[in-house]
Amino acid sequence: MTIVLLTALGVGGASVFGALLGFVFKKTTHKFSDIVLSFAAGVMLAAAVIGLILPSLEYGGRFPIIITVLGIFCGALCVNLFDKLVPHLHKLTGTDGEIHPDKTEKLNKVLLFVIAIAIHNLPEGIAAGVGFGTGNNTDALIIAGGIALQNIPEGMVIIGPMLAAGISNKRALLIACATGIIEVIGTFIGYFAVSISNAILPFALAFAGGTMLYVISDEMIPETHSHGAQRGATYALLLGFCLMLVFDRLLG
């Protein structure tokens, strides 16, 4: 239980750490952000496949393929539903990266940011917690590490738009902390869900993997390929993916 608690704090704290970096590097270029985010996408992709989807097949019982495929699509559809309910930050910003008040005037800016970030933080936290259900702490830590790494650049890029929207430094930091807390909660939800019943473990693993695959494909890759740095972003993704393969082999 201690390792789960430390993991939850680490995953959630990564968002806060990224936000603190955002205050320091307010003028981060799109190219730098895209490469870092793409590297994180590669790490998350490897973590989703190695730590969640493959174990789902292993624990799937009599019909592993059916359970795993069903879980992946259910996870993706769940995040897709959240996407439709709440607008995303990148859809509310222009090519200059700044918030456009005319598009957000009817929405509470603070609530918008919190909910938009929570769309991904909650299922990502659940994915980190579900990983411990297999009893393989190494794989679980790889998953959590991948998610935490992704949270750092995400935390960095949200600070600038929040400050541009008129949110004070203190409130922006509090919002970043709130998003981290949401991820901590998600981690415990995932952990206790599979702890209550091992019967749901294969589906839960695939579900968590599906949420991560959806975020990578629908959010991270398009975002990193929209500012002219797609070649570097592609190699950064491959680097992140291969790095996690190496870690898995060395630690497995």
Side-chain angles (χ1 to χ4, degrees), residues 43-88:
V43 171
M44 285 183 65
L45 180 59
V49 174
I50 297 171
L52 294 170
I53 294 174
L54 293 182
S56 172
L57 290 170
E58 180 181 348
Y59 294 99
R62 295 179 59 187
F63 307 104
I65 293 294
I66 295 176
I67 293 175
T68 299
V69 171
L70 181 63
I72 289 173
F73 275 93
C74 285
L77 288 171
C78 180
V79 182
N80 185 217
L81 177 62
F82 286 149
D83 284 353
K84 292 184 179 300
L85 293 176
V86 183
H88 284 196

Coordinates of all heavy atoms in Angstrom, one line a residue, residues 43-88:
V43 N 6.7 7.2 -24.4 CA 6.7 6.5 -23.1 C 5.4 5.9 -22.7 O 5.3 4.8 -22.2 CB 7.3 7.5 -22.0 CG1 7.2 6.8 -20.6 CG2 8.7 7.8 -22.3
M44 N 4.3 6.7 -22.8 CA 3.0 6.3 -22.5 C 2.5 5.2 -23.4 O 1.8 4.2 -22.9 CB 2.0 7.5 -22.6 CG 2.1 8.5 -21.4 SD 0.9 9.8 -21.5 CE -0.6 8.8 -21.3
L45 N 2.9 5.2 -24.7 CA 2.5 4.2 -25.6 C 3.1 2.8 -25.2 O 2.4 1.8 -25.2 CB 2.9 4.6 -27.0 CG 2.6 3.6 -28.1 CD1 1.1 3.4 -28.2 CD2 3.2 4.1 -29.5
A46 N 4.4 2.8 -24.9 CA 5.0 1.6 -24.4 C 4.4 1.1 -23.1 O 4.2 -0.1 -22.9 CB 6.5 1.8 -24.3
A47 N 4.2 2.1 -22.2 CA 3.6 1.7 -20.9 C 2.2 1.1 -21.1 O 1.9 0.1 -20.4 CB 3.5 2.9 -20.0
A48 N 1.4 1.6 -22.0 CA 0.1 1.1 -22.2 C 0.1 -0.3 -22.8 O -0.7 -1.2 -22.3 CB -0.7 2.1 -23.1
V49 N 1.0 -0.5 -23.7 CA 1.0 -1.8 -24.4 C 1.7 -2.9 -23.4 O 1.1 -3.9 -23.2 CB 1.8 -1.7 -25.7 CG1 2.0 -3.1 -26.3 CG2 1.1 -0.8 -26.7
I50 N 2.8 -2.5 -22.9 CA 3.6 -3.5 -22.1 C 3.0 -3.7 -20.7 O 2.8 -4.8 -20.2 CB 5.1 -3.0 -21.9 CG1 5.8 -2.9 -23.3 CG2 5.8 -3.9 -21.0 CD1 7.1 -2.3 -23.2
G51 N 2.6 -2.6 -20.1 CA 2.1 -2.7 -18.7 C 0.6 -3.0 -18.5 O 0.2 -3.4 -17.4
L52 N -0.2 -2.7 -19.6 CA -1.6 -2.9 -19.4 C -2.3 -3.8 -20.4 O -3.0 -4.8 -20.0 CB -2.3 -1.5 -19.6 CG -1.9 -0.4 -18.5 CD1 -2.4 0.9 -18.9 CD2 -2.5 -0.9 -17.1
I53 N -2.0 -3.6 -21.7 CA -2.7 -4.4 -22.7 C -2.2 -5.9 -22.7 O -3.0 -6.8 -22.7 CB -2.6 -3.8 -24.1 CG1 -3.4 -2.4 -24.0 CG2 -3.2 -4.7 -25.1 CD1 -3.2 -1.6 -25.3
L54 N -0.9 -6.1 -22.7 CA -0.4 -7.4 -22.7 C -0.7 -8.2 -21.5 O -1.1 -9.4 -21.5 CB 1.2 -7.4 -23.0 CG 1.6 -6.9 -24.4 CD1 3.1 -7.0 -24.5 CD2 1.0 -7.8 -25.4
P55 N -0.6 -7.6 -20.3 CA -1.1 -8.3 -19.1 C -2.6 -8.6 -19.1 O -3.0 -9.6 -18.6 CB -0.7 -7.3 -18.0 CG 0.4 -6.5 -18.5 CD 0.1 -6.4 -19.9
S56 N -3.4 -7.8 -19.7 CA -4.8 -8.0 -19.9 C -5.0 -9.3 -20.7 O -5.9 -10.1 -20.3 CB -5.5 -6.9 -20.6 OG -6.8 -7.2 -20.9
L57 N -4.3 -9.5 -21.7 CA -4.3 -10.8 -22.5 C -3.9 -12.0 -21.6 O -4.5 -13.0 -21.7 CB -3.5 -10.7 -23.7 CG -3.9 -9.8 -24.8 CD1 -2.8 -9.6 -25.9 CD2 -5.2 -10.3 -25.5
E58 N -2.9 -11.7 -20.8 CA -2.4 -12.8 -19.9 C -3.4 -13.3 -18.9 O -3.5 -14.4 -18.6 CB -1.1 -12.4 -19.3 CG -0.5 -13.4 -18.4 CD 0.8 -12.9 -17.7 OE1 1.3 -11.8 -18.1 OE2 1.3 -13.6 -16.8
Y59 N -4.1 -12.3 -18.3 CA -5.1 -12.6 -17.3 C -6.5 -12.7 -17.8 O -7.5 -12.8 -17.0 CB -5.0 -11.5 -16.2 CG -3.7 -11.4 -15.4 CD1 -2.8 -10.5 -15.8 CD2 -3.5 -12.3 -14.4 CE1 -1.6 -10.4 -15.1 CE2 -2.3 -12.3 -13.7 CZ -1.3 -11.3 -14.0 OH -0.1 -11.3 -13.4
G60 N -6.7 -12.8 -19.1 CA -8.0 -12.7 -19.7 C -8.9 -14.0 -19.6 O -10.0 -14.0 -20.0
G61 N -8.3 -15.1 -19.0 CA -9.2 -16.3 -18.8 C -9.4 -17.0 -20.1 O -8.6 -17.1 -21.0
R62 N -10.7 -17.4 -20.3 CA -11.0 -18.2 -21.5 C -11.1 -17.4 -22.8 O -10.9 -17.9 -23.8 CB -12.4 -18.9 -21.2 CG -12.4 -20.0 -20.1 CD -13.7 -20.6 -19.9 NE -14.2 -21.2 -21.1 CZ -15.4 -21.7 -21.2 NH1 -16.3 -21.6 -20.2 NH2 -15.8 -22.4 -22.4
F63 N -11.5 -16.2 -22.6 CA -11.7 -15.3 -23.8 C -10.8 -14.1 -23.7 O -11.4 -12.9 -23.7 CB -13.1 -15.0 -24.0 CG -14.0 -16.2 -24.0 CD1 -14.8 -16.5 -22.9 CD2 -14.1 -17.0 -25.1 CE1 -15.6 -17.6 -22.9 CE2 -14.9 -18.1 -25.1 CZ -15.7 -18.4 -24.0
P64 N -9.5 -14.2 -23.7 CA -8.7 -13.0 -23.5 C -8.8 -12.0 -24.5 O -8.8 -10.8 -24.2 CB -7.2 -13.6 -23.4 CG -7.3 -14.9 -24.2 CD -8.7 -15.4 -23.9
I65 N -8.8 -12.4 -25.8 CA -8.9 -11.4 -26.9 C -10.2 -10.6 -26.8 O -10.1 -9.3 -26.9 CB -8.8 -12.1 -28.3 CG1 -7.4 -12.7 -28.5 CG2 -9.1 -11.1 -29.4 CD1 -6.3 -11.8 -28.6
I66 N -11.3 -11.2 -26.6 CA -12.6 -10.5 -26.5 C -12.6 -9.5 -25.4 O -13.0 -8.4 -25.5 CB -13.7 -11.5 -26.3 CG1 -13.8 -12.4 -27.6 CG2 -15.0 -10.8 -26.1 CD1 -14.9 -13.5 -27.5
I67 N -12.1 -10.0 -24.2 CA -12.1 -9.1 -23.0 C -11.2 -7.9 -23.2 O -11.5 -6.7 -22.9 CB -11.7 -9.9 -21.8 CG1 -12.7 -10.9 -21.4 CG2 -11.4 -8.9 -20.6 CD1 -12.4 -11.8 -20.3
T68 N -10.0 -8.2 -23.8 CA -9.0 -7.1 -24.0 C -9.5 -6.1 -25.0 O -9.4 -4.9 -24.8 CB -7.7 -7.7 -24.4 OG1 -7.2 -8.5 -23.4 CG2 -6.7 -6.6 -24.7
V69 N -10.0 -6.5 -26.1 CA -10.5 -5.6 -27.2 C -11.7 -4.8 -26.7 O -11.8 -3.6 -26.9 CB -10.9 -6.4 -28.5 CG1 -11.6 -5.5 -29.5 CG2 -9.6 -7.0 -29.1
L70 N -12.6 -5.5 -26.0 CA -13.7 -4.8 -25.4 C -13.3 -3.7 -24.4 O -13.8 -2.6 -24.4 CB -14.7 -5.8 -24.7 CG -16.0 -5.2 -24.1 CD1 -16.8 -4.6 -25.2 CD2 -16.7 -6.3 -23.4
G71 N -12.4 -4.1 -23.6 CA -11.9 -3.1 -22.6 C -11.2 -1.9 -23.2 O -11.4 -0.8 -22.8
I72 N -10.4 -2.1 -24.3 CA -9.7 -1.0 -25.0 C -10.7 -0.1 -25.6 O -10.6 1.2 -25.4 CB -8.8 -1.6 -26.1 CG1 -7.6 -2.3 -25.5 CG2 -8.3 -0.5 -27.0 CD1 -6.7 -3.0 -26.5
F73 N -11.7 -0.6 -26.2 CA -12.7 0.3 -26.9 C -13.6 1.0 -25.8 O -14.0 2.1 -26.0 CB -13.6 -0.5 -27.9 CG -13.0 -0.6 -29.2 CD1 -12.2 -1.7 -29.5 CD2 -13.1 0.4 -30.1 CE1 -11.6 -1.8 -30.8 CE2 -12.5 0.3 -31.4 CZ -11.8 -0.8 -31.7
C74 N -13.9 0.3 -24.7 CA -14.7 1.0 -23.7 C -13.9 2.1 -23.0 O -14.4 3.2 -22.8 CB -15.1 -0.1 -22.6 SG -16.4 -1.2 -23.1
G75 N -12.6 1.9 -22.8 CA -11.8 3.0 -22.3 C -11.7 4.1 -23.2 O -11.8 5.3 -22.8
A76 N -11.5 3.9 -24.5 CA -11.4 4.9 -25.5 C -12.7 5.7 -25.6 O -12.8 6.9 -25.6 CB -11.1 4.4 -26.9
L77 N -13.9 5.0 -25.6 CA -15.2 5.6 -25.7 C -15.5 6.5 -24.4 O -16.1 7.5 -24.5 CB -16.3 4.5 -25.8 CG -16.3 3.9 -27.2 CD1 -17.3 2.7 -27.2 CD2 -16.7 4.8 -28.3
C78 N -15.0 6.0 -23.3 CA -15.2 6.8 -22.1 C -14.5 8.1 -22.2 O -15.1 9.2 -21.9 CB -14.6 6.0 -20.9 SG -14.8 6.8 -19.3
V79 N -13.2 8.2 -22.6 CA -12.5 9.4 -22.7 C -13.2 10.3 -23.9 O -13.3 11.5 -23.8 CB -11.0 9.2 -23.0 CG1 -10.3 10.5 -23.2 CG2 -10.4 8.4 -22.0
N80 N -13.6 9.6 -24.9 CA -14.3 10.3 -26.0 C -15.5 11.0 -25.5 O -15.9 12.1 -25.9 CB -14.6 9.3 -27.1 CG -15.2 9.9 -28.3 OD1 -16.1 9.4 -29.0 ND2 -14.8 11.1 -28.7
L81 N -16.3 10.4 -24.6 CA -17.5 11.0 -24.0 C -17.1 12.2 -23.2 O -17.8 13.3 -23.4 CB -18.2 10.0 -23.1 CG -19.4 10.5 -22.4 CD1 -20.5 10.9 -23.4 CD2 -20.0 9.4 -21.5
F82 N -16.0 12.1 -22.4 CA -15.6 13.3 -21.7 C -15.2 14.4 -22.7 O -15.5 15.6 -22.4 CB -14.4 12.9 -20.8 CG -14.7 12.1 -19.6 CD1 -13.8 11.2 -19.1 CD2 -15.9 12.3 -19.0 CE1 -14.1 10.5 -18.0 CE2 -16.2 11.5 -17.9 CZ -15.3 10.6 -17.4
D83 N -14.6 14.1 -23.8 CA -14.2 15.1 -24.7 C -15.4 15.8 -25.3 O -15.3 17.1 -25.5 CB -13.5 14.4 -25.9 CG -12.0 14.0 -25.6 OD1 -11.6 14.3 -24.5 OD2 -11.4 13.3 -26.4
K84 N -16.4 15.2 -25.5 CA -17.6 15.8 -26.1 C -18.3 16.7 -25.1 O -19.0 17.7 -25.4 CB -18.6 14.8 -26.6 CG -18.1 14.0 -27.8 CD -19.1 13.1 -28.4 CE -18.6 12.3 -29.6 NZ -18.3 13.3 -30.7
L85 N -18.2 16.4 -23.8 CA -18.8 17.1 -22.7 C -18.1 18.4 -22.4 O -18.7 19.4 -22.0 CB -19.0 16.3 -21.5 CG -20.0 15.1 -21.6 CD1 -20.0 14.2 -20.3 CD2 -21.4 15.5 -22.0
V86 N -16.8 18.4 -22.5 CA -16.0 19.5 -22.0 C -15.0 19.9 -23.1 O -14.3 19.1 -23.7 CB -15.2 19.1 -20.8 CG1 -14.4 20.4 -20.3 CG2 -16.1 18.6 -19.7
P87 N -14.9 21.2 -23.5 CA -14.0 21.7 -24.5 C -12.5 21.5 -24.0 O -12.3 21.5 -22.8 CB -14.3 23.1 -24.7 CG -15.0 23.5 -23.4 CD -15.7 22.3 -22.9
H88 N -11.6 21.4 -24.9 CA -10.2 21.2 -24.6 C -9.4 22.5 -24.7 O -9.8 23.4 -25.5 CB -9.6 20.2 -25.6 CG -10.0 18.8 -25.2 ND1 -9.3 17.7 -25.7 CD2 -11.0 18.3 -24.5 CE1 -9.9 16.6 -25.3 NE2 -10.9 16.9 -24.5

